[in-house]
Amino acid sequence: MVAGQVWNQPISNATSSFECNSTFYYELISGETHIRFEMTRLQAFNVMNDSYSEQVDRCPQDEPTTPMATTEMANTTMAMTTEAMTTEAMTTEATTMMTTTPKPVVGHYDLKDMNGTFCIMSQFNATLRVNYTKHDNETALVTIMVPLMAEVSGMCPMNMSSQMMSQLKLSFKNGTRTLTADFEEVNGTAVLTGISFFFVYDEEFVNASMMGQNETIGNSMLNLALSKATDAYRCDSGDMVMITSRLDLMTVDFIVQAFNVMNDTYGPENRCAGDMTTQAPQTTETTHMMNHTTEMTTTTTTMTTTTTTMMPTTVQCAGRDRVLTGVAL
């Protein structure tokens, strides 16, 4: 087991449940490992009848960003009487509501040449999923997040066999994990030709049949065209690359330029298809106005508003606090 740092963060009242629909991150080991939580519900004490408490404390991330983002208004009637006033009745069945989701934390993984100038630039949030075999011959899945402070190495762009190539390596957990990406410049296009992952079977691979041994899983024939060799490839919405039947890589807020980095800055960006088809910002969830009707009357105005509310999100922080003291992997 790898113990996490002491958190001592109150999450709820001891008789309540904690709920957080938003995404939030918790760093277990400084610069090494962090966990992403989403759609979380937890009650660590006073569970009655095998059910969560009806009292719910929500995380701050679920709080609305505007004062009236989530309101419950039903059958609110305003009566206004004047002798010479044209009045209007409006019925709204749904109103626009907006919440913001925190953006994932990204690592900056840049490789420098011997002169200290950037030759490869990249930043992203990455998660690996590895299938492995246990002692009982059953297959298990382990999820490994690339830490923000992974050690960067590799090869600056170099002409090899009449082909420009570069390589980016990210090592972590004292060298027992290494993610390698290989790039080639093909006819003016930057191509991701291969990805491999070296790892040692340790406590993260529970009941692994190869405990203590190491393995490398990879694919040297991916051949994924990214962008012009002078440009950067960017994908905020997220990419998932199935490297082999046992290994896949998920990235969010991904930017990479493997060739022709000038003045330590990215070149023009080539966006992924997911970013091009996104209709609204990722951080915003919007319920649009609909069924808006008006009635013209005289002397009396009646306004009836029915507003849909977002599912409440809670953090239990009242009375005697329950405290989450740590997390372990």
Side-chain angles (χ1 to χ4, degrees), residues 48-190:
M48 305 294 291
N49 300 320
D50 297 337
S51 301
Y52 290 108
S53 170
E54 293 182 359
Q55 299 178 17
V56 182
D57 290 337
R58 300 191 176 278
C59 62
Q61 290 90 336
D62 284 350
E63 293 298 320
T65 58
T66 56
M68 295 298 290
T70 55
T71 55
E72 295 183 1
M73 300 175 59
N75 301 324
T76 302
T77 304
M78 297 177 59
M80 298 171 57
T81 304
T82 57
E83 290 182 358
M85 180 180 245
T86 301
T87 62
E88 184 176 304
M90 299 170 57
T91 302
T92 305
E93 292 185 356
T95 188
T96 300
M97 296 178 296
M98 185 177 296
T99 61
T100 58
T101 302
K103 291 179 70 64
V105 181
V106 299
H108 293 259
Y109 311 110
D110 305 317
L111 183 65
K112 295 182 179 180
D113 60 20
M114 295 181 64
N115 299 319
T117 302
F118 290 135
C119 61
I120 299 177
M121 294 180 64
S122 67
Q123 65 181 58
F124 48 85
N125 177 288
T127 303
L128 292 148
R129 297 193 306 181
V130 184
N131 281 295
Y132 68 96
T133 303
K134 300 193 298 182
H135 282 299
D136 57 6
N137 289 324
E138 292 291 328
T139 300
L141 177 70
V142 63
T143 299
I144 300 173
M145 298 189 72
V146 177
L148 306 183
M149 301 302 292
E151 181 181 345
V152 180
S153 62
M155 181 184 71
C156 287
M158 180 179 297
N159 194 324
M160 301 180 66
S161 302
S162 301
Q163 194 76 46
M164 288 298 294
M165 300 181 180
S166 63
Q167 184 181 79
L168 184 66
K169 286 187 175 184
L170 305 179
S171 299
F172 52 100
K173 204 173 183 183
N174 298 320
T176 61
R177 311 274 190 268
T178 300
L179 175 65
T180 302
D182 292 302
F183 304 90
E184 288 187 17
E185 183 178 332
V186 181
N187 298 324
T189 299

